[in-house]
Amino acid sequence: LADTTMDRSGLLGRIEGFGSIMTQGTQLITHPTTRQLDSTAIHEFGGLVTDALAFFRTNVATALVNSSRTVRNNTMNLAYYGAGPNTNELYLAAEGYPAVCVGAGPSLAKNIDLLTNPDIRKNVIVISAQTTLKPLLARGVRPDFVTALDYHAISSRFYEGIGNVDDITLVAEAKANASILDSFPGPVRVTQSNYMDRMLGEDARPITPVKAGATVAHLSVYLAQYLGCDPIMLIGQDLGFSDGLYYCPGTAIHDVWATELNSFNTLEMMEWQRIVRHRGLLSRQDDMYGKPIFTDEQMVTYLKQFERDFAKSPQQILDCTEGGLLIANTTPMTLADALDAYATKPVPRMPMASRDFDTNRLAKMVKLLERRLAEVEEIRSLSQRTVPLLEAMKKHQRNYAKACEIHDKIEKNKKKVDMLEDTFTLVNELNTIGAFKRARADRAIHHQEMDQYEVQRRQIDRDIENLEWLIQACDEGLQIFRDALKRTRDLYKQHRKEKTRV
């Protein structure tokens, strides 16, 4: 076997496009003679493929579980995306200057204080995950940017009591919970979203995309690349539980836990409970210094994503965490040495954004949501009317004339849905389970020997099940769009009133 076959990030890059298919059933078969000649390499390669399958399963499971929340959060942030500041002004705004991406790993406590030196701080762009904003501010370090993409409203608590942050910009994906964008007291910019562009249709504004992040840590790196920063230094990216800790001391989650602390339930105990909560997913590995460390399947998935990304990164990536798992395709270095080598001149002032919305565009958003609601209602009605037609098609399979008559009625409904293509695509984002089941049914039909009538019957059953899932997706979409319409209409009224008063 060639050495390149043992490159985990390279393997992921080559087979990632087939990930969803591989999760539906994959068996590893090895050539007996090759297994005897080089059993060690075969075993190692099999381990890489197994790791890749775990990565794909995590991604598919996340998509299935989070599809509804993703659509809801996106739609509730329509005002920010369609009528507020975006990231265009930031593109290559710090080209050639170093960036420090701050994660919340336990090792952050080792080197975070280096950024308190004003002579160093002015020479780097600092990008913080929202979990580390409070620890930075508590030490007198004011990051340039904070990144957010979390689904849950509890993340808005990261911004409680942080004071004036007019000089710090929140860069959020549109899929982040709306309460996060509402709660941040400083300027907010949103990144490009394919879903939101489809939602806006012809009213979409061109936005140079920032790569979508799996976590705020990934988004921080992608933002640094978007800014044009080089090199990019990582701190607090343990990707494991260094010293038996989950978070760096002083992170905002500790404030959330504060009400639960007592003589019998210490912070250290809660850290350990957070780690062992999913003990079945824990694994013991060696950290960058060769010492044993616990990590879990989720952290390993994030590690693989980093390694895949860094293998293709044109920027130099410096792992300055000084702890945790070794990240391939990075250069390990202490933060002090990295700052001495690269933080040698002041970075330019970053463009600032306001918290104002364009009221004219907000008015368009209101009308857009009203139209989308009507179109979802139409898709739901057409789907309901098509299900009995498919049942009739199955009943009259062998009656060619009758089947053709039913088929024509189905095609008329299909053409009406095709005219609502944009809204149909939006609703299908809520139908991930139905789409997954449809793909699995297609594979089962393809790989079984059946006569043409049995194939047709199985296809009709597949289509009926898919339509039933689509009807449920429409029901959910109607509720989401109604909530978004109320929110957007309220924001429009509020901002129009404020501008009239001014």
Side-chain angles (χ1 to χ4, degrees):
L1 291 174
D3 290 341
T4 53
T5 60
M6 300 305 170
D7 174 17
R8 180 165 56 192
S9 58
L11 177 65
L12 275 177
R14 289 193 292 273
I15 66 175
E16 190 171 7
F18 307 98
S20 61
I21 296 176
M22 294 177 70
T23 60
Q24 295 179 30
T26 299
Q27 291 183 335
L28 300 182
I29 301 173
T30 58
H31 183 240
T33 304
T34 305
R35 187 169 61 244
Q36 291 177 353
L37 291 174
D38 206 341
S39 60
T40 301
I42 288 289
H43 178 74
E44 185 178 349
F45 183 73
L48 290 179
V49 175
T50 301
D51 285 347
L53 287 173
F55 170 73
F56 298 146
R57 281 194 299 271
T58 300
N59 286 348
V60 169
T62 300
L64 294 175
V65 170
N66 288 332
S67 60
S68 178
R69 285 187 293 181
T70 301
V71 171
R72 171 169 287 278
N73 290 349
N74 269 305
T75 312
M76 295 295 280
N77 285 324
L78 185 62
Y80 283 95
Y81 192 85
N86 57 53
T87 55
N88 275 345
E89 288 184 294
L90 302 181
Y91 186 57
L92 301 182
E95 188 171 13
Y97 290 89
V100 177
C101 294
V102 186
S107 296
L108 180 61
K110 293 181 180 180
N111 50 29
I112 188 175
D113 289 329
L114 289 174
L115 297 177
T116 61
N117 185 332
D119 292 331
I120 292 175
R121 174 63 189 89
K122 65 183 176 62
N123 292 345
V124 293
I125 296 291
V126 176
I127 304 173
S128 169
Q130 60 180 7
T131 44
T132 55
L133 177 59
K134 280 190 174 181
L136 287 175
L137 294 176
R139 289 168 168 83
V141 179
R142 302 186 70 81
D144 297 283
F145 302 99
V146 180
T147 55
L149 50 68
D150 291 347
Y151 290 105
H152 203 282
I154 196 172
S155 294
S156 62
R157 296 192 63 180
F158 294 141
Y159 310 121
E160 291 179 354
I162 62 174
N164 187 307
V165 287
D166 287 344
D167 57 333
I168 302 172
T169 299
L170 174 68
V171 176
E173 292 190 6
K175 68 183 180 185
N177 193 281
S179 66
I180 296 173
L181 283 70
D182 290 344
S183 299
F184 188 75
V188 176
R189 294 183 184 272
V190 290
T191 63
Q192 185 270 343
S193 161
N194 291 334
Y195 180 87
M196 296 301 280
D197 285 344
R198 286 195 296 270
M199 169 69 79
L200 290 169
E202 61 184 19
D203 290 323
R205 299 176 294 181
I207 304 175
T208 303
V210 179
K211 188 174 180 180
T215 67
V216 285
H218 292 84
L219 180 57
S220 293
V221 172
Y222 301 152
L223 176 59
Q225 293 175 321
Y226 187 84
L227 289 162
C229 296
D230 193 4
I232 298 171
M233 309 171 195
L234 309 179
I235 62 174
Q237 294 300 339
D238 292 65
L239 297 168
F241 312 121
S242 303
D243 302 320
L245 299 174
Y246 198 97
Y247 298 105
C248 170
T251 52
I253 193 66
H254 291 167
D255 294 335
V256 176
W257 290 347
T259 57
E260 302 179 51
L261 301 180
N262 54 55
S263 301
F264 303 97
N265 190 41
T266 65
L267 194 60
E268 291 79 9
M269 290 171 63
M270 293 197 71
E271 284 275 348
W272 181 242
Q273 290 166 11
R274 177 66 180 82
I275 294 171
V276 300
R277 188 179 302 157
H278 302 294
R279 57 176 56 85
L281 302 177
L282 287 177
S283 63
R284 187 190 296 270
Q285 299 194 26
D286 292 334
D287 69 7
M288 61 171 53
Y289 302 118
K291 298 178 181 179
I293 183 177
F294 278 118
T295 188
D296 63 18
E297 188 172 291
Q298 185 181 55
M299 292 288 186
V300 171
T301 296
Y302 298 156
L303 171 66
K304 293 169 188 171
Q305 290 173 313
F306 272 133
E307 292 178 341
R308 175 202 62 192
D309 294 335
F310 296 160
K312 298 180 287 187
S313 173
Q315 297 86 9
Q316 184 179 12
I317 309 295
L318 307 179
D319 185 0
C320 304
T321 293
E322 302 178 42
L325 296 181
L326 189 66
I327 305 174
N329 306 313
T330 67
T331 302
M333 186 180 292
T334 66
L335 181 61
D337 288 344
L339 293 172
D340 283 343
Y342 298 104
T344 57
K345 59 182 179 180
V347 299
R349 183 177 178 82
M350 293 294 99
M352 301 306 293
S354 71
R355 288 190 62 88
D356 289 336
F357 293 118
D358 183 328
T359 52
N360 291 329
R361 288 189 62 83
L362 276 178
K364 288 185 177 181
M365 305 300 102
V366 171
K367 292 180 180 178
L368 171 71
L369 283 168
E370 291 172 343
R371 189 177 83 243
R372 294 293 186 211
L373 272 167
E375 291 176 349
V376 175
E377 288 274 17
E378 178 67 8
I379 292 170
R380 186 185 188 283
S381 176
L382 289 167
S383 299
Q384 285 185 312
R385 298 204 298 267
T386 303
V387 170
L389 292 174
L390 287 169
E391 295 282 6
M393 174 74 81
K394 188 166 60 172
K395 180 180 178 181
H396 298 287
Q397 256 185 293
R398 297 176 185 270
N399 185 335
Y400 181 76
K402 185 68 174 177
C404 286
E405 179 186 339
I406 297 170
H407 180 267
D408 289 343
K409 293 179 181 179
I410 294 173
E411 280 299 302
K412 286 181 180 179
N413 288 348
K414 181 180 181 300
K415 287 178 181 178
K416 291 178 181 178
V417 172
D418 288 343
M419 294 176 66
L420 306 173
E421 180 181 3
D422 288 344
T423 302
F424 179 73
T425 303
L426 296 174
V427 171
N428 259 323
E429 292 289 331
L430 292 164
N431 190 29
T432 51
I433 295 178
F436 183 80
K437 286 178 173 290
R438 181 184 178 91
R440 189 169 60 184
D442 282 338
R443 284 174 57 80
I445 294 170
H446 178 74
H447 290 290
Q448 292 184 23
E449 292 187 7
M450 297 174 285
D451 63 43
Q452 63 176 356
Y453 291 108
E454 179 63 15
V455 169
Q456 186 184 60
R457 188 189 67 79
R458 295 279 293 272
Q459 290 172 336
I460 293 172
D461 286 338
R462 173 205 64 195
D463 292 342
I464 291 172
E465 183 181 30
N466 187 59
L467 280 177
E468 289 171 345
W469 279 103
L470 180 60
I471 291 167
Q472 293 184 49
C474 287
D475 289 337
E476 191 168 15
L478 287 170
Q479 186 59 56
I480 289 172
F481 288 2
R482 288 188 189 112
D483 292 343
L485 175 59
K486 182 182 184 307
R487 170 176 164 82
T488 308
R489 188 180 282 145
D490 289 346
L491 285 171
Y492 169 65
K493 291 177 181 178
Q494 173 190 332
H495 281 264
R496 187 179 61 174
K497 186 182 297 183
E498 289 174 358
K499 290 197 173 184
T500 302
R501 187 184 305 123
V502 172

